mmCIF file of all heavy atoms in Angstrom:
data_model
loop_
_atom_site.group_PDB
_atom_site.id
_atom_site.type_symbol
_atom_site.label_atom_id
_atom_site.label_comp_id
_atom_site.label_asym_id
_atom_site.label_seq_id
_atom_site.Cartn_x
_atom_site.Cartn_y
_atom_site.Cartn_z
ATOM 1 N N PRO I 300 12.442 -12.465 5.066
ATOM 2 C CA PRO I 300 11.274 -13.231 5.480
ATOM 3 C C PRO I 300 10.657 -12.656 6.756
ATOM 4 O O PRO I 300 11.361 -12.115 7.620
ATOM 5 C CB PRO I 300 11.842 -14.631 5.742
ATOM 6 C CG PRO I 300 13.088 -14.688 4.926
ATOM 7 C CD PRO I 300 13.650 -13.300 4.986
ATOM 8 N N ALA I 301 9.356 -12.779 6.865
ATOM 9 C CA ALA I 301 8.655 -12.217 8.024
ATOM 10 C C ALA I 301 8.718 -13.119 9.243
ATOM 11 O O ALA I 301 8.563 -12.647 10.375
ATOM 12 C CB ALA I 301 7.197 -11.936 7.656
ATOM 13 N N ASP I 302 8.941 -14.414 9.035
ATOM 14 C CA ASP I 302 8.887 -15.334 10.172
ATOM 15 C C ASP I 302 10.044 -15.086 11.138
ATOM 16 O O ASP I 302 11.159 -14.782 10.758
ATOM 17 C CB ASP I 302 8.892 -16.790 9.698
ATOM 18 C CG ASP I 302 9.989 -17.084 8.683
ATOM 19 O OD1 ASP I 302 10.218 -16.233 7.805
ATOM 20 O OD2 ASP I 302 10.603 -18.165 8.777
ATOM 21 N N ASP I 303 9.730 -15.220 12.407
ATOM 22 C CA ASP I 303 10.695 -15.135 13.505
ATOM 23 C C ASP I 303 11.256 -13.744 13.772
ATOM 24 O O ASP I 303 12.161 -13.603 14.599
ATOM 25 C CB ASP I 303 11.861 -16.108 13.302
ATOM 26 C CG ASP I 303 11.416 -17.569 13.375
ATOM 27 O OD1 ASP I 303 10.374 -17.820 14.009
ATOM 28 O OD2 ASP I 303 12.094 -18.430 12.801
ATOM 29 N N ALA I 304 10.779 -12.706 13.115
ATOM 30 C CA ALA I 304 11.319 -11.370 13.374
ATOM 31 C C ALA I 304 10.694 -10.770 14.629
ATOM 32 O O ALA I 304 9.485 -10.837 14.836
ATOM 33 C CB ALA I 304 11.066 -10.455 12.182
ATOM 34 N N THR I 305 11.535 -10.215 15.485
ATOM 35 C CA THR I 305 11.065 -9.497 16.673
ATOM 36 C C THR I 305 11.729 -8.126 16.717
ATOM 37 O O THR I 305 12.853 -7.942 16.247
ATOM 38 C CB THR I 305 11.388 -10.265 17.965
ATOM 39 O OG1 THR I 305 12.803 -10.503 18.035
ATOM 40 C CG2 THR I 305 10.648 -11.600 17.996
ATOM 41 N N ALA I 306 11.046 -7.167 17.297
ATOM 42 C CA ALA I 306 11.532 -5.787 17.313
ATOM 43 C C ALA I 306 12.678 -5.599 18.288
ATOM 44 O O ALA I 306 12.760 -6.259 19.333
ATOM 45 C CB ALA I 306 10.389 -4.839 17.657
ATOM 46 N N ALA I 307 13.577 -4.696 17.979
ATOM 47 C CA ALA I 307 14.631 -4.283 18.903
ATOM 48 C C ALA I 307 14.005 -3.460 20.025
ATOM 49 O O ALA I 307 12.888 -2.949 19.894
ATOM 50 C CB ALA I 307 15.684 -3.465 18.153
ATOM 51 N N SER I 308 14.722 -3.316 21.128
ATOM 52 C CA SER I 308 14.169 -2.580 22.263
ATOM 53 C C SER I 308 13.905 -1.118 21.936
ATOM 54 O O SER I 308 13.078 -0.481 22.572
ATOM 55 C CB SER I 308 15.117 -2.675 23.461
ATOM 56 O OG SER I 308 16.388 -2.134 23.148
ATOM 57 N N GLY I 309 14.603 -0.577 20.922
ATOM 58 C CA GLY I 309 14.383 0.810 20.535
ATOM 59 C C GLY I 309 13.365 0.977 19.438
ATOM 60 O O GLY I 309 13.279 2.057 18.835
ATOM 61 N N MET I 310 12.577 -0.071 19.168
ATOM 62 C CA MET I 310 11.529 -0.042 18.145
ATOM 63 C C MET I 310 10.201 -0.438 18.771
ATOM 64 O O MET I 310 10.166 -1.265 19.690
ATOM 65 C CB MET I 310 11.839 -1.028 17.013
ATOM 66 C CG MET I 310 13.144 -0.798 16.294
ATOM 67 S SD MET I 310 13.519 -2.166 15.153
ATOM 68 C CE MET I 310 12.151 -2.022 13.975
ATOM 69 N N ALA I 311 9.119 0.106 18.271
ATOM 70 C CA ALA I 311 7.801 -0.324 18.721
ATOM 71 C C ALA I 311 7.482 -1.680 18.109
ATOM 72 O O ALA I 311 7.645 -1.869 16.897
ATOM 73 C CB ALA I 311 6.749 0.700 18.310
ATOM 74 N N ALA I 312 7.069 -2.637 18.916
ATOM 75 C CA ALA I 312 6.727 -3.963 18.409
ATOM 76 C C ALA I 312 5.656 -3.878 17.332
ATOM 77 O O ALA I 312 5.648 -4.663 16.380
ATOM 78 C CB ALA I 312 6.268 -4.866 19.555
ATOM 79 N N SER I 313 4.755 -2.903 17.467
ATOM 80 C CA SER I 313 3.651 -2.743 16.524
ATOM 81 C C SER I 313 4.116 -2.283 15.147
ATOM 82 O O SER I 313 3.353 -2.303 14.183
ATOM 83 C CB SER I 313 2.623 -1.750 17.061
ATOM 84 O OG SER I 313 3.219 -0.474 17.269
ATOM 85 N N SER I 314 5.388 -1.856 15.036
ATOM 86 C CA SER I 314 5.900 -1.396 13.738
ATOM 87 C C SER I 314 6.203 -2.549 12.799
ATOM 88 O O SER I 314 6.357 -2.352 11.597
ATOM 89 C CB SER I 314 7.160 -0.556 13.926
ATOM 90 O OG SER I 314 8.253 -1.347 14.369
ATOM 91 N N LEU I 315 6.275 -3.770 13.328
ATOM 92 C CA LEU I 315 6.573 -4.930 12.490
ATOM 93 C C LEU I 315 5.297 -5.552 11.942
ATOM 94 O O LEU I 315 4.289 -5.642 12.644
ATOM 95 C CB LEU I 315 7.345 -5.990 13.280
ATOM 96 C CG LEU I 315 8.677 -5.572 13.897
ATOM 97 C CD1 LEU I 315 9.426 -6.798 14.408
ATOM 98 C CD2 LEU I 315 9.536 -4.793 12.910
ATOM 99 N N GLY I 316 5.360 -5.983 10.694
ATOM 100 C CA GLY I 316 4.230 -6.650 10.052
ATOM 101 C C GLY I 316 4.732 -7.498 8.905
ATOM 102 O O GLY I 316 5.911 -7.856 8.848
ATOM 103 N N SER I 317 3.852 -7.820 7.988
ATOM 104 C CA SER I 317 4.247 -8.635 6.837
ATOM 105 C C SER I 317 3.394 -8.295 5.631
ATOM 106 O O SER I 317 2.315 -7.712 5.760
ATOM 107 C CB SER I 317 4.112 -10.127 7.152
ATOM 108 O OG SER I 317 2.754 -10.486 7.334
ATOM 109 N N VAL I 318 3.910 -8.630 4.446
ATOM 110 C CA VAL I 318 3.179 -8.487 3.201
ATOM 111 C C VAL I 318 3.374 -9.766 2.413
ATOM 112 O O VAL I 318 4.445 -10.384 2.465
ATOM 113 C CB VAL I 318 3.676 -7.266 2.395
ATOM 114 C CG1 VAL I 318 5.157 -7.388 2.022
ATOM 115 C CG2 VAL I 318 2.842 -7.057 1.145
ATOM 116 N N THR I 319 2.322 -10.221 1.731
ATOM 117 C CA THR I 319 2.419 -11.417 0.906
ATOM 118 C C THR I 319 2.890 -11.032 -0.482
ATOM 119 O O THR I 319 2.269 -10.234 -1.174
ATOM 120 C CB THR I 319 1.064 -12.137 0.818
ATOM 121 O OG1 THR I 319 0.626 -12.468 2.145
ATOM 122 C CG2 THR I 319 1.180 -13.417 -0.005
ATOM 123 N N ARG I 320 4.032 -11.578 -0.874
ATOM 124 C CA ARG I 320 4.599 -11.289 -2.186
ATOM 125 C C ARG I 320 3.887 -12.079 -3.286
ATOM 126 O O ARG I 320 3.082 -12.976 -2.998
ATOM 127 C CB ARG I 320 6.097 -11.633 -2.180
ATOM 128 C CG ARG I 320 6.890 -10.727 -1.245
ATOM 129 C CD ARG I 320 8.360 -11.116 -1.203
ATOM 130 N NE ARG I 320 8.981 -11.113 -2.526
ATOM 131 C CZ ARG I 320 9.404 -10.015 -3.143
ATOM 132 N NH1 ARG I 320 9.274 -8.823 -2.564
ATOM 133 N NH2 ARG I 320 9.959 -10.092 -4.346
ATOM 134 N N ALA I 321 4.181 -11.766 -4.554
ATOM 135 C CA ALA I 321 3.529 -12.427 -5.689
ATOM 136 C C ALA I 321 3.759 -13.928 -5.698
ATOM 137 O O ALA I 321 2.924 -14.698 -6.171
ATOM 138 C CB ALA I 321 4.019 -11.818 -7.001
ATOM 139 N N ASP I 322 4.907 -14.354 -5.121
ATOM 140 C CA ASP I 322 5.196 -15.794 -5.091
ATOM 141 C C ASP I 322 4.596 -16.485 -3.877
ATOM 142 O O ASP I 322 4.814 -17.677 -3.651
ATOM 143 C CB ASP I 322 6.704 -16.047 -5.142
ATOM 144 C CG ASP I 322 7.441 -15.440 -3.958
ATOM 145 O OD1 ASP I 322 6.792 -14.905 -3.036
ATOM 146 O OD2 ASP I 322 8.694 -15.518 -3.953
ATOM 147 N N GLY I 323 3.836 -15.761 -3.079
ATOM 148 C CA GLY I 323 3.161 -16.342 -1.923
ATOM 149 C C GLY I 323 3.950 -16.294 -0.635
ATOM 150 O O GLY I 323 3.420 -16.626 0.427
ATOM 151 N N THR I 324 5.187 -15.882 -0.668
ATOM 152 C CA THR I 324 5.985 -15.804 0.554
ATOM 153 C C THR I 324 5.652 -14.547 1.344
ATOM 154 O O THR I 324 5.177 -13.553 0.794
ATOM 155 C CB THR I 324 7.491 -15.815 0.233
ATOM 156 O OG1 THR I 324 7.808 -14.690 -0.591
ATOM 157 C CG2 THR I 324 7.880 -17.095 -0.500
ATOM 158 N N LYS I 325 5.895 -14.610 2.637
ATOM 159 C CA LYS I 325 5.651 -13.474 3.525
ATOM 160 C C LYS I 325 6.938 -12.685 3.723
ATOM 161 O O LYS I 325 7.969 -13.241 4.095
ATOM 162 C CB LYS I 325 5.155 -13.970 4.885
ATOM 163 C CG LYS I 325 3.828 -14.708 4.851
ATOM 164 C CD LYS I 325 2.662 -13.742 4.686
ATOM 165 C CE LYS I 325 1.335 -14.478 4.858
ATOM 166 N NZ LYS I 325 0.185 -13.556 4.718
ATOM 167 N N GLN I 326 6.856 -11.382 3.485
ATOM 168 C CA GLN I 326 8.016 -10.505 3.645
ATOM 169 C C GLN I 326 7.806 -9.584 4.834
ATOM 170 O O GLN I 326 6.719 -9.060 5.059
ATOM 171 C CB GLN I 326 8.227 -9.675 2.372
ATOM 172 C CG GLN I 326 9.423 -8.741 2.422
ATOM 173 C CD GLN I 326 9.633 -7.986 1.111
ATOM 174 O OE1 GLN I 326 8.865 -8.165 0.150
ATOM 175 N NE2 GLN I 326 10.655 -7.146 1.055
ATOM 176 N N LEU I 327 8.841 -9.394 5.610
ATOM 177 C CA LEU I 327 8.795 -8.503 6.759
ATOM 178 C C LEU I 327 8.532 -7.062 6.325
ATOM 179 O O LEU I 327 9.087 -6.593 5.328
ATOM 180 C CB LEU I 327 10.131 -8.560 7.506
ATOM 181 C CG LEU I 327 10.299 -7.609 8.700
ATOM 182 C CD1 LEU I 327 9.367 -8.004 9.837
ATOM 183 C CD2 LEU I 327 11.754 -7.616 9.165
ATOM 184 N N THR I 328 7.719 -6.360 7.073
ATOM 185 C CA THR I 328 7.529 -4.921 6.887
ATOM 186 C C THR I 328 7.881 -4.203 8.178
ATOM 187 O O THR I 328 7.692 -4.725 9.286
ATOM 188 C CB THR I 328 6.090 -4.553 6.480
ATOM 189 O OG1 THR I 328 5.179 -4.963 7.510
ATOM 190 C CG2 THR I 328 5.710 -5.214 5.156
ATOM 191 N N ILE I 329 8.402 -2.991 8.040
ATOM 192 C CA ILE I 329 8.706 -2.135 9.180
ATOM 193 C C ILE I 329 8.029 -0.794 8.923
ATOM 194 O O ILE I 329 8.305 -0.132 7.926
ATOM 195 C CB ILE I 329 10.225 -1.941 9.345
ATOM 196 C CG1 ILE I 329 10.920 -3.303 9.519
ATOM 197 C CG2 ILE I 329 10.517 -1.027 10.534
ATOM 198 C CD1 ILE I 329 12.439 -3.211 9.573
ATOM 199 N N GLY I 330 7.113 -0.447 9.764
ATOM 200 C CA GLY I 330 6.330 0.768 9.532
ATOM 201 C C GLY I 330 5.532 0.662 8.249
ATOM 202 O O GLY I 330 5.229 1.681 7.623
ATOM 203 N N GLY I 331 5.185 -0.557 7.854
ATOM 204 C CA GLY I 331 4.417 -0.812 6.644
ATOM 205 C C GLY I 331 5.276 -1.033 5.415
ATOM 206 O O GLY I 331 4.804 -1.564 4.409
ATOM 207 N N TRP I 332 6.551 -0.660 5.471
ATOM 208 C CA TRP I 332 7.433 -0.755 4.307
ATOM 209 C C TRP I 332 8.129 -2.113 4.248
ATOM 210 O O TRP I 332 8.728 -2.543 5.244
ATOM 211 C CB TRP I 332 8.491 0.343 4.344
ATOM 212 C CG TRP I 332 7.924 1.700 4.110
ATOM 213 C CD1 TRP I 332 7.471 2.574 5.060
ATOM 214 C CD2 TRP I 332 7.733 2.337 2.840
ATOM 215 N NE1 TRP I 332 7.009 3.727 4.467
ATOM 216 C CE2 TRP I 332 7.156 3.610 3.105
ATOM 217 C CE3 TRP I 332 7.994 1.974 1.522
ATOM 218 C CZ2 TRP I 332 6.836 4.502 2.078
ATOM 219 C CZ3 TRP I 332 7.682 2.870 0.508
ATOM 220 C CH2 TRP I 332 7.108 4.111 0.791
#
């Protein structure tokens, strides 16, 4: 799930995002993946 995810200190915060799955839920993405 995408909610509540925060980046580790060795990761760029901007690398985190989300994608809406077919069932409507939000999935975490890292570097777009």
